């Protein structure tokens, strides 16, 4: 049974998409996930290259947007397909993402058991730095600034 779906939005750049999908497939110690690569109407032959690269890989499927729908529209193509398959847990990955966590799906299992509705990731730079470190304990000052922000007129 498939529990998780990965949507990988693709446009022209097949080499990044190949690296992204391969990084997802490295969590192969689990069989309860599926990857849908959504081609956002690439004008080159990159979709065919991807289909050849992952031919025979049962965990990878492809969807083609009829026109470039942008980021959210392209992701919605994949999300819709997962909904039609009855898969509610969808992970969105841009094609320049590489999954480095070997226990990613176990972390999602834990979050799902706690009724968490949305999860954000810790993004690492190629040098290993944190691009958006997790924020665990909001301070009083942070909260006051967040809720009392008024745009300048």
């Amino acid at each position: 049974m498939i529990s998780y779906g990965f949507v990988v939005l693709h446009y022209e750049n097949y080499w990044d998409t190949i690296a992204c999908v391969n990084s997802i497939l490295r969590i192969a110690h689990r069989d309860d996930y599926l990857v849908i690569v959504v081609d956002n109407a690439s004008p080159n032959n990159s979709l065919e290259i991807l289909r050849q690269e992952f031919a025979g890989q049962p965990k990878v499927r492809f969807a083609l947007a009829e026109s470039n729908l942008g980021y959210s529209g392209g992701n919605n193509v994949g999300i819709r397909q997962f909904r039609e398959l009855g898969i509610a847990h969808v992970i969105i990955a841009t094609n320049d993402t590489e999954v480095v966590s070997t226990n990613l799906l176990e972390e999602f299992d834990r979050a799902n058991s706690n009724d968490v509705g949305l999860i954000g990731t810790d993004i690492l730079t190629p040098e290993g730095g944190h691009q958006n470190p997790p924020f665990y304990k909001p301070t009083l000052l942070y909260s006051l600034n967040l809720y009392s922000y008024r745009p300048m007129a």
Side-chain angles (χ1 to χ4, degrees):
M1 179 176 171
I2 303 296
S3 300
Y4 294 99
F6 286 86
V7 174
V8 177
L9 186 59
H10 167 75
Y11 184 76
E12 290 188 3
N13 183 346
Y14 65 85
W15 51 92
D16 275 351
T17 304
I18 290 171
C20 177
V21 172
N22 281 330
S23 76
I24 295 168
L25 294 175
R26 281 194 289 274
I27 57 175
H29 61 280
R30 302 246 325 226
D31 286 329
D32 62 339
Y33 68 92
L34 181 66
V35 178
I36 294 180
V37 176
V38 177
D39 182 78
N40 215 1
S42 297
N44 61 6
N45 67 338
S46 59
L47 179 59
E48 286 309 312
I49 293 169
L50 292 171
R51 287 184 183 192
Q52 290 173 8
E53 179 73 22
F54 296 107
Q57 175 50 260
K59 293 281 176 208
V60 180
R61 297 184 185 176
F62 296 92
L64 175 63
E66 293 182 22
S67 63
N68 188 326
L69 302 173
Y71 180 76
S72 60
N75 284 322
N76 284 337
V77 170
I79 292 169
R80 250 189 306 282
Q81 286 197 7
F82 282 124
R83 294 284 185 206
E84 290 169 5
L85 293 170
I87 300 168
H89 304 296
V90 178
I91 301 158
I92 305 294
T94 58
N95 71 332
D96 63 345
T97 300
E98 289 193 39
V99 176
V100 296
S101 175
T102 57
N103 66 340
L104 177 69
L105 295 181
E106 287 79 8
E107 290 294 327
F108 283 122
D109 288 341
R110 192 174 64 161
N112 287 331
S113 68
N114 291 319
D115 292 327
V116 174
L118 180 68
I119 300 172
T121 59
D122 184 14
I123 299 174
L124 301 175
T125 66
E127 298 78 28
H130 298 273
Q131 191 170 358
N132 61 338
F135 190 73
Y136 295 105
K137 294 182 181 178
T139 64
L140 178 60
L141 181 60
Y142 175 82
S143 299
L144 289 173
N145 285 333
L146 182 66
Y147 294 108
S148 65
Y149 173 73
R150 302 282 187 266
M152 296 180 70

